[in-house]
Every structure is written in structure tokens, then in C-alpha cells.
Amino acid sequence: ENLNLNTISISPNPASEYIVVKKLQDVSLSISITDIHGRGTHISNDHLGNIDNRFDISRLSSGLYVIILESDNGQIRYQRFIKEQCNY
């Protein structure tokens, strides 16, 4: 299946405590999050099974990050998001 911009939504952006990756069709995805320099974070998941997948980003430093989504057939989508300082 085709992994395009219309099959996945990522919100909120900017975010401070969590992001939600919503699959708009039944496609098997893996996710990882890196900083803008390509360094990995603790956030990764071998398989996104749910329609709404919530990830806690509260421990990440403020800055620009990249979400890397990969389908089972090897298609990759990159999405940037801004991590803001938590308000607590």
C-alpha cells in the first residue's frame, strides 16, 4: 500500500507533552523519532497497531525533531515537529 501524506496525521505540532500519530487507513507502520541531527531518542515502536498512537515526548529537550514512519513494504515518510518546553 502507498504511504502518502493523506494516510497519516501527526498532532499537535508544536507539542510539549505528547504527540499522536493517527493512521487513517489500515497500514502497518514502525516509528522512530530522532533529533534534527539524526540522533535517536528513546521513542520507537516496532509496530503501530492502533488507529491513534500516543507517544510521551515530555522528557525530550526543546527543539526540532523528525518522526520517521516506515511501512512494511519499505516506504518511508519523514515528518518534522517542534518540541516545546512543558508548562509544569
Side-chain angles (χ1 to χ4, degrees):
E1 297 188 36
N2 212 5
L3 183 62
N4 62 49
L5 297 176
N6 298 323
T7 61
I8 310 288
S9 71
I10 298 168
S11 62
N13 190 8
S16 60
E17 296 179 32
Y18 65 89
I19 56 170
V20 175
V21 178
K22 181 178 282 194
K23 299 189 312 177
L24 305 177
Q25 71 181 40
D26 187 20
V27 60
S28 182
L29 296 173
S30 62
I31 185 172
S32 59
I33 298 178
T34 66
D35 67 15
I36 196 65
H37 303 290
R39 291 184 294 253
T41 65
H42 70 284
I43 301 172
S44 65
N45 190 318
D46 290 335
H47 184 265
L48 297 183
N50 300 322
I51 293 173
D52 290 333
N53 300 273
R54 185 176 171 138
F55 294 93
D56 180 358
I57 61 166
S58 62
R59 293 182 183 220
L60 297 179
S61 299
S62 298
L64 187 59
Y65 289 86
V66 178
I67 298 172
I68 304 166
L69 297 164
E70 184 173 1
S71 67
D72 282 348
N73 64 7
Q75 291 183 328
I76 298 175
R77 176 180 168 197
Y78 300 93
Q79 175 73 44
R80 288 184 284 191
F81 76 94
I82 297 170
K83 164 60 169 77
E84 294 183 325
Q85 187 69 33
C86 293
N87 295 324
Y88 53 79

